[in-house]
Structures are given as C-alpha cells and as structure tokens.
Amino acid sequence: MSEQTGHCLCGGVQFQISGALAAIQVCHCESCRRAQGGPLATNLPVDRAALRFTAGQDLLTRFQSSAGKHRVFCRVCGSPLYSERDSLPGVVRMRAGLLDEPVTTRPATHAHLDSASTWWPQLLDVSALAAAIEQFATARDWTQFHSPKNLVMALTGEAGELTEIFQWMTEDASRHAGSDPDSAQHVREELADVMIYLVRLAAVLGVDFDQAVRSKLALNARKYPVDKARGNNRKYKQP
C-alpha cells in the first residue's frame, strides 16, 4: 500500500496518509481565503482511518470557524493542517500544500468561483492569444471580415471538421485520438482552429472569457450538486 507523508512549516507536526490519494479540491470561498491568508485553499479529502500522525499530535489546535466546522493548525508555526465537519465524522480535508513531494494527485474541482479573489491570476487568461490573433488579422486586413456572424459560422465549420475526425471511431479509438500518430496532428490542428475562432469571437463581442467561464462553472455547480450528479449524465431538469 502506498503512503504519502507531509508536515507543517516547523516540522513539529508530521503525518502519513495510507492508500491512493483523492483528487485535490480547490476552494475560492472567502472563508477559506481568510483561513489560508491566500487566494484559495487546496483541500485533500482523507478518510480518518487512512491518516496517522507520526509526530506532534499534541501540537494540534482547533478553531471552530462556523457551526459544525473546525479548522486545525499547528500551535507553534500556525500552519493550517486540515478542516473537519461534524456532519462528516469520518473525513478530514488536509491542506495539500503540506504534502511532501512528489505528489501524484492533481486538482480536479474548483468550488465557489463566484467568490474568487479579484487580484489572483485568471482561471483562463487568453489575453496573449487574443492579441496575437488581432495582430495576425490586422496584418492581412482581415478584421473587416470578422463580424460576429462570420466568426460564429467559421467556428461552427471548424467544430465540424473536428467532429469529422471522430465520426466513425470506436469509443476506445476516440480516447487515443490525441496520441495516435494517424490522428494526433489533425486533432491538434482542428482544436487550435476552434480555439482561435472562439477567442477571436469573444474579443470582438467584448466578452471577458475568464469571468464568463467562472460564472458558468459556478452556475453548473449549482445545477449539478455533487450528491445528485455524481456518476450520472442526466440533464439537471430531468428527474
């Protein structure tokens, strides 16, 4: 069985996590930002049975940040260690920044994007790409053709060319299309074309791509709460 180690800043608190690590959950809510003193929190759900403190358990200090929620930190260096809820007695959320490298798991979800810090780098920064596309089009005097209608039609055409690559593939073959020598280059080119037209369309319409994506992810999270959507592909309006 694999084991992941970690420790606080001063090294007084040390721990081991047994078994495969869950995906990291990134939280942007105001409460987590204040607790971490940063723009976000990186949380790792861990079963209590898989967590073992190898040193410094006497240094753990608890703070009830809200009803039924406790945050635990090292009383010597102040490092946030984990949080826990009374409603989930068998799970703690360790702070991923405490883990010793190498760390094999990766972030998988972002929560409370509608509360995200305004000063942290964007979730999706396409400004350099948008400027490069603008320069490319201006040099060829193509901006006159870049009406939203024309760009949407061109985008649809490129999406169709991407679809054509996958049209007659099996499910299994489609999963390897990005690495298969017979299709990989074509896939990359069509993905790039779709991205170029999508970014250009947003620029012409004056849409803040980052804000639009943040808002839509937050809306989708409300439409598809994990406890109801996990493991099924039904649309949120379906019973």
Side-chain angles (χ1 to χ4, degrees), residues 11-211:
V13 178
Q14 301 180 27
F15 60 87
Q16 290 181 342
I17 300 172
S18 301
L21 298 179
I24 295 170
Q25 302 169 347
V26 182
C27 184
H28 298 262
C29 78
E30 182 179 357
S31 179
C32 280
R33 289 193 280 113
R34 292 190 182 279
Q36 303 300 125
L40 48 82
T42 51
N43 303 314
L44 182 72
V46 176
D47 287 340
R48 276 194 171 277
L51 174 65
R52 183 169 68 92
F53 287 96
T54 55
Q57 193 161 5
D58 59 317
L59 301 180
L60 303 184
T61 301
R62 298 162 60 86
F63 168 69
Q64 183 170 318
S65 58
S66 59
K69 182 170 183 177
H70 300 267
R71 298 178 184 272
V72 180
F73 55 94
C74 171
R75 66 178 173 84
V76 174
C77 63
S79 291
L81 300 170
Y82 63 87
S83 61
E84 57 185 354
R85 292 183 178 275
D86 293 345
S87 58
L88 293 171
V91 178
V92 299
R93 296 205 302 170
M94 300 296 300
R95 299 306 179 245
L98 302 171
L99 301 178
D100 295 327
E101 294 288 354
V103 177
T104 56
T105 189
R106 294 292 182 269
T109 59
H110 286 257
H112 300 291
L113 284 166
D114 52 340
S115 302
S117 172
T118 58
W119 53 266
W120 187 244
Q122 295 178 323
L123 184 68
L124 181 64
D125 187 353
V126 296
S127 56
L129 176 57
I133 297 170
E134 172 73 26
Q135 184 179 20
F136 183 92
T138 300
R140 292 158 179 78
D141 194 24
W142 286 356
T143 56
Q144 60 180 310
F145 308 121
H146 286 184
S147 67
K149 177 191 75 70
N150 287 348
L151 291 170
V152 167
M153 293 175 68
L155 173 61
T156 302
E158 296 299 342
E161 292 185 20
L162 178 62
T163 302
E164 187 178 9
I165 300 173
F166 293 87
Q167 186 172 7
W168 304 115
M169 285 184 179
T170 64
E171 288 282 338
D172 184 63
S174 71
R175 298 181 189 280
H176 300 90
S179 57
D180 188 327
D182 292 334
S183 59
Q185 183 60 29
H186 196 185
V187 168
R188 286 194 293 268
E189 290 175 355
E190 297 307 331
L191 281 173
D193 281 337
V194 169
M195 183 68 173
I196 288 169
Y197 276 116
L198 193 59
V199 169
R200 181 61 175 161
L201 177 62
V204 169
L205 290 173
V207 172
D208 183 329
F209 228 145
D210 178 69
Q211 185 57 50

